[in-house]
Amino acid sequence: MDMHSSCCSASRMASGPQAAAGPDLERTPSPVVPARSERLVRLEGGDFQMGASDADGFASDGEGPPRLVRVDPFRIAPCAVSNREFAEFVEATGYRTEAERFGWSFVFHLLVSEQTRRRVASVPQGVPWWLVVEGACWSRPEGPDSSIGKERLDHPVVHVSWQDAAAYCAWSGTRLPTEAEWEYAARGGLQGRTYPWGDLLRPDGRHRCNIWQGKFPVKNNASDGYVGTAPVDAYEPNGYGLYNMSGNVWEWCADWFSPSYHASTDPVNPHQTEPTGKRSTRGGSYLCHRSYCNRYRVAARSGNTPDSSTGNMGFRVAADVLP
């Protein structure tokens, strides 16, 4: 597990048995379920500068070198999949997530109750802020004594693995975006900017995303309004009308993760299809902080094993353009 990114994600690989093989999802034409796909935003695609070589970036992640990339037109959800939407999927299919099948998932230490903390099974080595909590899953984000309740139905679903996200996509007639599609969408029409809205993290003193505020990992003053997840449509959207492309929850992408991504993928519709053991994630989360994991920049990237789930990992869906 990458210690630089471990503030924001934790890998199941080092903490428990591996899951049985789940559904696979590559960038293939997706079926269309109008009730699910009509809400997607159509983006015309085209050429854009992908990646960055910022001094505050992580060269080991393969954020650059920046290059000119082209993507075809596609559609993408304005928001990450919410608890409400995922609950509809579960109700319709009876699907059980990998966290439910494993019996545990990773929860950030400040979010669990004292009662749950006393029952913690283990703590991953080197990242004591992540707790292995038995019973934690998408509907019980902080463990057995928690619930999404009515107040979090419009928050992003968490504790979903890549394979869980793939299953939701198969049901909803969608797919996961490629990394190139995700970054094109996140930039919102801006070229070479650090964030979806520009280069300043807080333009005019306004918070534009849900990230850690305070001293990580011991104190979050929540000056952006949230200690954990925020609603999927919190803050202002970017230039394409897309919400929370920075912060809130990490979002799974279709690609396998590789630090050599920019050197090994085609500049036209790039897509890392060679298995590497990890799937790509984008966007950062509410646990990202400039002192340790400033991966809420649009060019930042990370990865995790496809069966991993944590309390800050979610996804948004995409689809091909209708002929």
Side-chain angles (χ1 to χ4, degrees):
M1 176 169 50
D2 178 2
M3 288 298 105
H4 287 294
S5 63
S6 57
C7 67
C8 290
S9 61
S11 172
R12 194 177 292 276
M13 179 181 295
S15 303
Q18 298 301 295
D24 191 27
L25 181 70
E26 297 295 349
R27 189 180 182 277
T28 55
S30 54
V32 177
V33 180
R36 297 287 153 186
S37 61
E38 64 186 7
R39 298 190 294 270
L40 304 190
V41 176
R42 175 179 171 134
L43 301 182
E44 296 305 322
D47 297 337
F48 78 105
Q49 195 78 9
M50 184 179 183
S53 54
D54 300 336
D56 58 352
F58 299 96
S60 60
D61 289 344
E63 292 185 11
R67 58 173 176 152
L68 191 65
V69 161
R70 176 178 297 175
V71 293
D72 290 337
F74 64 101
R75 294 177 296 148
I76 191 165
C79 302
V81 173
S82 68
N83 284 315
R84 186 190 308 276
E85 292 170 319
F86 200 79
E88 292 173 359
F89 160 58
V90 170
E91 183 177 357
T93 64
Y95 184 82
R96 295 181 70 237
T97 61
E98 293 201 286
E100 290 171 291
R101 284 180 274 152
F102 275 114
W104 62 272
S105 190
F106 292 103
V107 182
F108 188 70
H109 73 116
L110 294 184
L111 300 180
V112 301
S113 68
E114 286 302 318
Q115 181 179 359
T116 295
R117 186 184 297 273
R118 290 194 293 268
R119 299 200 307 265
V120 167
S122 64
V123 176
Q125 185 177 2
V127 284
W129 44 84
W130 282 116
L131 307 181
V132 174
V133 176
E134 294 180 0
C137 65
W138 74 273
S139 60
R140 296 177 295 182
E142 291 79 49
D145 59 354
S146 68
S147 170
I148 55 175
K150 292 182 179 180
E151 67 277 6
R152 283 197 279 183
L153 286 176
D154 293 324
H155 285 228
V157 66
V158 293
H159 295 295
V160 286
S161 69
W162 187 95
Q163 288 160 172
D164 297 331
Y168 178 93
C169 288
W171 170 76
S172 63
T174 60
R175 58 174 173 80
L176 292 175
T178 65
E179 279 201 67
E181 290 172 333
W182 191 97
E183 186 170 325
Y184 177 90
R187 291 189 176 278
L190 300 178
Q191 289 283 356
R193 300 300 186 181
T194 304
Y195 307 110
W197 53 85
D199 288 328
L200 296 178
L201 180 60
R202 294 176 57 194
D204 299 322
R206 293 176 293 118
H207 289 286
R208 296 294 301 269
C209 62
N210 178 20
I211 56 177
W212 188 275
Q213 307 291 324
K215 183 178 181 181
F216 185 87
V218 295
K219 176 63 176 178
N220 187 349
N221 62 38
S223 61
D224 56 12
Y226 303 94
V227 173
T229 58
V232 295
D233 60 353
Y235 309 102
E236 298 175 39
N238 72 359
Y240 290 150
L242 310 180
Y243 294 84
N244 292 328
M245 299 300 287
S246 284
N248 215 23
V249 294
W250 282 99
E251 298 182 6
W252 290 108
C253 290
D255 303 68
W256 289 97
F257 177 78
S258 171
S260 65
Y261 171 89
H262 285 292
S264 61
T265 57
D266 196 281
V268 178
N269 295 318
H271 183 200
Q272 179 69 42
T273 59
E274 185 69 25
T276 63
K278 292 183 177 181
R279 291 287 186 173
S280 295
T281 56
R282 286 296 199 118
S285 82
Y286 61 87
L287 296 181
C288 282
H289 187 261
R290 64 182 181 181
S291 68
Y292 195 74
C293 180
N294 64 336
R295 287 178 173 86
Y296 40 87
R297 296 165 292 106
V298 290
R301 53 198 303 269
S302 191
N304 212 329
T305 55
D307 61 353
S308 291
S309 62
T310 67
N312 66 339
M313 294 177 67
F315 68 105
R316 79 177 62 212
V317 300
D320 302 313
V321 169
L322 297 175

